[in-house]
Every structure is written in structure tokens, then in C-alpha cells.
Amino acid sequence: MSAWNLTGTAPRARDDGGERDGGALSVSRAVELAASALEAIPQLTVIGEVTGFRGPHARSGHCYFQIKDDSCAVDCIVWRGSYAKRTFDLRDGMQVQFTGSFNLYKATGRMSFVARSFSLAGEGLLRQQVAALAEKLRREGLMDEARRRRIPVFCTRVAVVTSLSGAVIDDVKRTLRRRNPLVELVCVGARVQGEGAAEELVEALGRAAALDPAPDCILLVRGGGSFEDLMTFNDEALARAV
């Protein structure tokens, strides 16, 4: 009965800031409420994959794209001033950590996440760290050609530093038997993954180098794995030991 008067005709709408009889809202009022709710959400840090990257825009300098995970996606904006402070260029496929807040563009009712800062995440961050370490070692001269030791064309004694429980040691033995069964193989065991693995590999390299008689070369090997699995071999102390 509240929506109709006794004559059975609809009542006139009240002008009360957009709300109409029966609780219906104007589009403008509904969008304002949604915008206010989004503004109440505190600043967030979100990790997602960049997709559909467009920017910087030729005139505004702003960047427009989406960030997504396996089940959701959201429009994202990086204003010109924020993008100017970047340490790397955004591109599709990157896993990136964004810090910012949600915004609703009232003219279209479109929600976006406005990122005020961003940094690489996941594998991208690891690759950035590896590149920085490689550049550090290069500046120190550790990668100069003059430091490279000549590997004999025909080795008679080979030391292998790797996990003795994985398939890789069997692969090495099988390959050597096929290519040159006369080669003497000395296995030095160490973990190749997980906490403390880099330290074990450094110690194992020291033991391999101290063998008597000395090996003609030392193989530092492991099987396949993800980039994260292989990060043990990007350890700075291990690089210096090599």
C-alpha cells in the first residue's frame, strides 16, 4: 500500500536528492553511492598480470590497461606523474604489484583501480634482482674474459657437484659413458634447492676443487625447474665461488 494511494494511481515522485518513492534511486544518485563506497575502501596493494597495456597516452601521458588473475580482471590507470617515477616499463604479461585505490568515473559508471606506485612481483622481481647482481659482478670485473679458465678439449677426470638423489647425476653418467667411457667421474653431493642449498653448493665446490689429483673440470649441474627453483644458482656467494 505504501507505493500506491487509495485511488489506485501512482504517487508523484519526491525530490529528495535522487531517491524516489518505493526506494528507487536515480542513476546519478546510485552512482554517487557507489563512488562513496569505493572511496571508503582504504589504499590497497594488489598483485596481478598486466594485460591490454596502452600507454603512455600521446597527449595525456596516462597509461590504461587491466590487471588480472585466474578468475578476475579490473581496469587500471596509472597517471602520468606516477608513471614518470617508474623504474621499468610496464608491458603485457608482467606480474606487477600495484598500490593505489579504486575510483568510479561517474560519467560512465566505470570502476578502475588507480595505481599510484608499482613494482615487479613474482618471477619479474626475481629476474630484476638477478640482472642487478649480474651487473654488480660485471662492474667488479668478475665476468671479464681474462678471468675465464680454459677447459681442456679432452678431460680425463671430471668432478660433478649436484644432488646425488636426483635424476641429473644419472643423466651425466649416461652421457659420459656414451661420449667417452674412459673419463673418471667423481661425484660431490649437495642440495640444489631449498634453504641452505647455496651454502652447500659453495662448500661442495670447494671440496671438488681440492680433490687430489685435481679434476680437469668441475660440472655444477641440476635438472629442470621453474625460475624460482633455479634461484639457488643465482646466489651471490655461489657466483663468487664459481
Side-chain angles (χ1 to χ4, degrees), residues 37-57:
L38 287 176
E39 290 171 1
I41 299 175
Q43 181 170 271
L44 301 173
T45 298
V46 181
I47 294 178
E49 178 183 333
V50 175
T51 183
F53 183 77
R54 294 176 289 115
H57 190 274

Side-chain angles (χ1 to χ4, degrees), residues 33-240:
L33 288 174
S36 297
L38 287 176
E39 290 171 1
I41 299 175
Q43 181 170 271
L44 301 173
T45 298
V46 181
I47 294 178
E49 178 183 333
V50 175
T51 183
F53 183 77
R54 294 176 289 115
H57 190 274
R59 289 186 177 180
S60 68
H62 307 325
C63 300
Y64 303 90
F65 52 98
Q66 285 191 323
I67 49 176
K68 67 176 184 177
D69 57 20
D70 293 338
S71 58
C72 293
V74 66
D75 290 333
C76 189
I77 301 173
V78 178
W79 302 129
R80 177 177 59 186
S82 298
Y83 199 66
K85 300 175 183 178
R86 69 190 184 278
T87 58
F88 62 94
D89 292 334
L90 290 173
R91 64 176 183 271
D92 286 357
M94 280 184 167
Q95 284 287 328
V96 181
Q97 179 172 291
F98 297 94
T99 298
S101 55
F102 283 105
N103 173 266
L104 192 72
Y105 183 52
K106 294 180 181 179
T108 61
R110 188 165 186 171
M111 182 186 74
S112 299
F113 186 79
V114 179
R116 292 173 176 80
S117 63
F118 56 89
S119 60
L120 282 169
E123 183 175 317
L125 177 59
L126 296 179
R127 289 186 182 277
Q128 186 180 55
Q129 292 171 346
V130 171
L133 174 59
E135 177 61 20
K136 174 184 177 180
L137 299 180
R138 186 195 64 77
R139 289 197 304 268
E140 291 183 23
L142 297 188
M143 297 184 182
D144 292 349
E145 286 292 329
R147 297 184 64 93
R148 294 180 180 271
R149 300 187 184 185
R150 187 183 67 85
I151 299 176
V153 177
F154 297 102
C155 297
T156 59
R157 196 165 197 253
V158 174
V160 182
V161 174
T162 190
S163 170
L164 300 184
S165 61
V168 65
I169 188 64
D170 294 329
D171 291 340
V172 171
K173 291 177 180 178
R174 183 166 51 252
T175 301
L176 281 177
R177 280 198 302 268
R178 185 177 71 250
R179 299 294 297 273
N180 188 348
L182 300 180
V183 171
E184 180 186 1
L185 189 65
V186 182
C187 301
V188 182
R191 285 186 297 161
V192 296
Q193 186 175 331
E195 186 176 355
E199 291 80 0
E200 284 193 22
L201 289 169
V202 169
E203 192 271 337
L205 281 175
R207 285 189 283 131
L211 289 171
D212 187 20
D216 296 314
C217 71
I218 300 173
L219 304 181
L220 175 60
V221 297
R222 67 155 287 160
S226 66
F227 193 85
E228 288 83 354
D229 293 338
L230 296 169
M231 279 300 293
T232 294
F233 286 76
N234 292 317
D235 180 83
E236 180 174 352
L238 180 56
R240 294 184 181 279

Side-chain angles (χ1 to χ4, degrees), residues 15-20 24-37 104-109:
D15 185 10
D16 54 358
E19 184 171 341
R20 303 182 184 280
L25 302 175
S26 67
V27 173
S28 297
R29 179 58 177 155
V31 171
E32 287 177 1
L33 288 174
S36 297
L104 192 72
Y105 183 52
K106 294 180 181 179
T108 61

